[in-house]
Amino acid sequence: MTQTHVLLVRLAGPLQSWGVASRFALRDTHPRPTKSGVVGLCAAALGLDRDEPLGELAALLFGVRADRPGTPLRDYHTVGGGRYPIRPRDLVTDHRRASAMETAMEVVADTVIATTVDPDPDPDPGAVAQSAGPFGHSALDAWYGAPKRIAADPVSGALVSSEVRRHAVITERWYLADAAFLVGLQHPDPAFLERIAHALEHPKRLLWLGRKSCPPSGELALGVVPGTLEEVFRTKPLLPSEGVGEAPATGDRPWAWIESPHPLTGVGPVSDQPVRFDAGGPVHGPRWETRHRVTIAPHATEWDIIP
């Protein structure tokens, strides 16, 4: 029987967010890291491009132990409200904005001339622009500063915005606060796992815990050990709390979710098996996993890591 090895990865930070069915207005989070998110983390660390095949990364057996499940956190957002300065590209992409801005500048010029004690019949354009504010800092009343719902103008054919007035969009984003997970990646080739471990500590691209606003803290790669996911999760203590330096009591029995290479009776599929991470959108397939209560062995060795 081929000996298997497991790469242990620590995923901890102030915030994590592992989206499952996120949309613009509502961005959810799974209560634990997804295989797609973790494989994407490893692919970014290795420097793979989005169009590159995942190869052995997708074949890794995935397991996650919730040492600290964290607290769900809701972040309320309003997007697109208020007034914004007109930018150069706003004038180029929408002739209506350019016309409105030109009219506004003419009004400012007339005001400058009317309020000048000794009006100049040919006022300095620089003085007019200065009174209207530096370019890129001027706004139009009742106009949204950035184009929205771009479409071709039926008259000119130019790309214009079908919504020029400002309307705020309400979005809702969910995170896991102060969570810590021990992830296991099982593979028969320890050299391949060591290469991933080195990349996680020396990444070629930026890494985040599911979303770009969630950077990881402390060490990620905790070493490659022989055994299966079930064995390793039992023989490793819970991750230490940040700033404390000591692991929680081993009497705690955290939940663990462990992938099965084959469908199991009575176990439903999980749709987070990464197939590819194309720029047009990731593609996922099904996989199977089981949930266990893990009893930490009393002889589990302490961690020597930087939380």
Side-chain angles (χ1 to χ4, degrees):
M1 181 177 179
T2 304
Q3 174 69 52
T4 61
H5 292 75
V6 175
L7 166 62
L8 293 172
V9 182
R10 172 184 172 274
L11 300 180
L15 294 175
Q16 304 186 32
S17 186
W18 306 95
V20 179
S22 295
R23 298 294 183 267
F24 179 79
L26 177 60
R27 302 187 181 184
D28 63 352
T29 180
H30 206 48
R32 61 187 183 276
T34 60
K35 183 177 182 180
S36 175
V38 174
V39 169
L41 183 82
C42 297
L46 292 166
L48 298 183
D49 292 331
R50 284 186 173 273
D51 57 352
E52 290 189 55
L54 295 174
E56 288 299 302
L57 282 177
L60 291 167
L61 279 185
F62 174 77
V64 55
R65 194 181 73 186
D67 288 12
R68 292 199 305 278
T71 304
L73 176 66
R74 174 176 175 263
D75 190 13
Y76 177 85
H77 272 251
T78 57
V79 181
R83 294 177 58 190
Y84 291 83
I86 296 295
R87 301 168 299 175
R89 78 173 191 180
D90 298 337
L91 304 179
V92 173
T93 59
D94 195 332
H95 63 85
R96 297 169 301 171
R97 263 188 185 79
S99 176
M101 194 64 187
E102 182 179 3
T103 302
M105 293 295 288
E106 291 175 354
V107 171
V108 172
D110 293 340
T111 303
V112 171
I113 295 173
T115 57
T116 303
V117 175
D118 184 16
D120 185 349
D122 187 15
D124 181 8
V128 174
Q130 185 176 3
S131 63
F135 187 74
H137 293 266
S138 300
L140 293 173
D141 290 337
W143 282 73
Y144 186 80
K148 298 173 67 177
R149 300 182 182 176
I150 303 300
D153 182 42
V155 177
S156 65
L159 294 177
V160 297
S161 172
S162 61
E163 184 176 330
V164 297
R165 297 185 181 275
R166 55 187 184 273
H167 296 285
V169 177
I170 297 175
T171 68
E172 190 175 330
R173 307 177 188 187
W174 285 90
Y175 299 88
L176 297 175
D178 300 323
F181 298 95
L182 182 64
V183 165
L185 300 174
Q186 181 178 316
H187 195 272
D189 184 3
F192 175 58
L193 296 177
E194 291 286 0
R195 187 161 66 91
I196 299 175
H198 181 270
L200 288 173
E201 295 301 323
H202 305 83
K204 295 183 179 180
R205 303 184 190 277
L206 293 177
L207 306 181
W208 49 81
L209 303 179
R211 197 175 293 168
K212 293 183 180 179
S213 58
C214 305
S217 65
E219 296 182 58
L220 277 76
L222 302 184
V224 176
V225 295
T228 64
L229 291 167
E230 296 93 331
E231 297 168 350
V232 172
F233 282 164
R234 286 197 304 265
T235 57
K236 291 298 179 181
L238 299 184
L239 293 169
S241 300
E242 295 193 27
V244 177
E246 297 182 358
T250 55
D252 294 341
R253 300 181 64 232
W255 284 107
W257 293 262
I258 297 176
E259 181 179 2
S260 170
H262 309 290
L264 299 175
T265 303
V267 177
V270 181
S271 299
D272 68 347
Q273 171 65 35
V275 177
R276 59 180 182 272
F277 295 118
D278 292 347
V283 178
H284 300 106
R287 65 182 182 88
W288 288 262
E289 68 178 11
T290 58
R291 187 176 73 158
H292 306 270
R293 277 283 194 186
V294 178
T295 301
I296 307 298
H299 60 273
T301 57
E302 299 293 332
W303 291 108
D304 182 20
I305 60 176
I306 300 174

